[in-house]
Amino acid sequence: MNINELIKIIKSKIEAEINIQGFKIEDKSFLHKKHKGNQEGMFHLKLIIKSEELKKLNKIESTKKIYNILDLELKKHIHSIQILLS
């Protein structure tokens, strides 16, 4: 899977499950290319999500919700994920 396909999947899954007002995904994989544990096809992503729904939850609950939605992608295509909520 390439990064553009993964971004489309993540965006559609998040939008289907969470009421969001703003959403941005940044590919940060280039920062980790020379790291020992770097694997081809595994991406490092930064999600920036603006959501009143998630703001009502505590940080652990909101993170769990996102992890549950992206369970398959986290297991197969995402090595690292950073989540920023506003």
Side-chain angles (χ1 to χ4, degrees):
M1 175 174 302
N2 71 44
I3 188 63
N4 294 324
E5 292 171 323
L6 182 58
I7 287 172
K8 283 181 188 176
I9 290 168
I10 291 170
K11 190 168 174 29
S12 70
K13 282 186 155 189
I14 296 283
E15 288 176 340
E17 297 286 331
I18 300 171
N19 185 11
I20 60 172
Q21 290 73 50
F23 188 63
K24 183 177 178 184
I25 301 175
E26 296 177 7
D27 178 13
K28 298 293 187 177
S29 301
F30 68 94
L31 296 172
H32 306 274
K33 287 290 184 203
K34 299 196 184 212
H35 291 183
K36 185 177 181 180
N38 190 51
Q39 297 171 298
E40 189 69 32
M42 295 294 284
F43 299 96
H44 298 252
L45 302 176
K46 179 178 181 179
L47 305 183
I48 304 165
I49 303 171
K50 182 175 182 175
S51 170
E52 292 300 320
E53 178 183 339
L54 292 177
K55 279 176 70 173
K56 292 177 184 174
L57 304 174
N58 68 42
K59 182 130 175 100
I60 293 171
E61 290 171 333
S62 59
T63 300
K64 280 184 180 180
K65 184 169 186 137
I66 293 167
Y67 271 59
N68 286 334
I69 293 167
L70 300 178
D71 184 57
L72 180 64
E73 290 72 26
L74 286 163
K75 289 176 181 170
K76 293 189 173 192
H77 305 291
I78 300 172
H79 177 75
S80 171
I81 191 167
Q82 178 184 11
I83 302 168
L84 299 177
L85 302 174
S86 63

